[in-house]
Amino acid sequence: MNDVARLTLLDRVEISAAWLLGIIWLMPLLYAFWAGFHPPEYATRLDLLAPLTLENFAEAWSQAPFARFYLNTFILVTSILIVQFILCTLAAYAFARFEFWGKDVAFVLVLVQLMIMPEVLIVENYSTMSSLNLVDTIAGIGLPYMASAFGIFLLRQTFKTIPKELEDAARIEGCSVLQILWKVYVPLARPTYLAYGLVSVSYHWNNFLWPLIITNSVETRPLTVGLAIFGAPESGVDWSVISAATLLAVAPLLVAFLLFQRQFVQSFMQAGIK
Amino acid sequence: MTGAMDKNRYLPLFLVTPALLVVVGLFMYPLGYSAISSFQDKSGAWTFANFEKAFDLYSLDIGFTVLIVVLSTVAIGVLACATGGYLTLGENPRAVAVLKWLYRWPLFIPFIVAGQLMRTFLAKNGMLNNILVSIGLLEPLQATSLLDWRGIVITFVWKQTPFVALLVAGAMASLDRSTIEAARNLGAGRVRILIQIIIPQVRQTLLVGLILSFVTMMSVLSVPLMINAETPTMMTVDMAFRINSYGDYGVANALGFISYLMAGSVAWFYLSQGVRKGERP
């Protein structure tokens, strides 16, 4: 007897309900796919026989410098991630494994940053960037986020779970502090790095308010700001083209999610955030 | 020997200094400076005028922001617990697998894209109303736009629930199954097991997820700007408006100060919970 035959009526109802809920949950995203891949006259009309088209994507690509926006966003998220990994790793190691003067105060400063988003500091950060001549630069967008409280917190929690004996053994073998970090802590915290890396990339790919304020040229604007200007009501662009542009903006993240979702979910489960 | 001890004494400071420099220079300094600036006029004299103006012009928006964010946080909490609970207690492996695969997708959709999607999806002549009309659940004349407070809440909940659900489901999956099985054997239903046994054990994780969501939603500009930029709207829209239209940094700082007081009070609540339990954060 096969699996389908063994399903009871209640099983079928439960599976159908799960599909229905899931599809309702995904409806806005499915709608973007629908509008993006169909002619404008079908943008808000569900007709299963409607013709498919890639015209909206061609139109969106020709109306805005998406290649430049992609490049800017890629440089932004990669540079932030690299610096965050370095700064957060060093700080998290110190907080997890050392007793030092001012440790509690320093950790409270980090925790305060965790609870207040940098967006509320845009006015003062703008003047700081202005005095550093970093307005309208990619470095200016990224600098306020280089030391992530979330990253420090997450890595500190993970480092605390790593047996101290491994560090002692590495030290006896003659490893320096940086070698201990690189050869013991970093490899064992790999799931946390992956989880945090995806959260960081996703957050900075998504970030809008600060890049909107600090940039004013195509050369530095990330995708989100370009998309907002592109999709503004006064630009007169129709919904199908906006949906296509939206999918262009989000496609790399969705592909990354599809490729890494198993590792990402496992990483989050292992990271044990409390 | 003394040299080695000195080296060890300074080592953690060397490790923590780069991150602390960024935190102090680009977070604590602007935080303190913006707090001070919000109490000063353009000549630098101490005043409450920025706050008076902020409350005169935007008290409705401040209340609206609190309402929207609290409502969204509650809804996210309920949905995240329900999702995590079903993934942990679901007895139908296929339904669990379907839900597990589908619920996470909005996690990687940027807020601006979520706002963009919802703006076209929830409009009066948008896809949602068209589908409801075409399947007969709604008369064409009954169709209304959801691009108001409801649209903002729907977008926040849609975007943030997967993040909290992921944390909560992770915590639930790592629980000791024996208490759950014992409750099952005693005849407890799934809802009762979820509420009385599972949620209390993952409370801390749920709180962290909800607080991070609360703080994130407080700072989002794109969603209220795209879905409902007219009064009442959220404080981030007002801040951007004061800066872009009037160069009024005093009132923008005052609004910022009010918003981080709100976020700070939530953070204090979380930390006080940890302290009460005798835990270090």
Side-chain angles (χ1 to χ4, degrees), chain B residues 2 22 90 101 166 207 237 270:
Chain B
T2 313
V22 179
W101 190 69
L166 189 63
L207 263 181
V237 177
Y270 166 65

Side-chain angles (χ1 to χ4, degrees), chain B residues 175-247:
Chain B
L175 291 178
D176 180 7
R177 301 283 302 185
S178 59
T179 49
I180 297 171
E181 295 308 325
R184 248 185 198 149
N185 292 339
L186 289 171
R190 280 190 277 183
V191 176
R192 194 169 173 194
I193 293 175
L194 178 66
I195 293 172
Q196 294 188 350
I197 294 177
I198 294 181
I199 291 177
Q201 294 186 68
V202 298
R203 190 169 162 269
Q204 282 299 101
T205 307
L206 177 64
L207 263 181
V208 173
L210 290 180
I211 288 168
L212 289 175
S213 292
F214 183 96
V215 175
T216 304
M217 289 185 290
M218 284 290 300
S219 69
V220 171
L221 169 70
S222 51
V223 170
L225 196 65
M226 290 186 146
I227 289 181
N228 176 39
E230 291 165 12
T231 306
T233 188
M234 292 185 69
M235 287 160 67
T236 43
V237 177
D238 299 330
M239 285 169 70
F241 179 69
R242 293 315 300 180
I243 295 168
N244 290 335
S245 303
Y246 297 108

Side-chain angles (χ1 to χ4, degrees), chain B residues 129-140 142:
Chain B
N129 279 331
N130 282 345
I131 290 176
L132 293 177
V133 167
S134 66
I135 58 177
L137 285 175
L138 200 69
E139 290 296 317
Q142 290 175 316

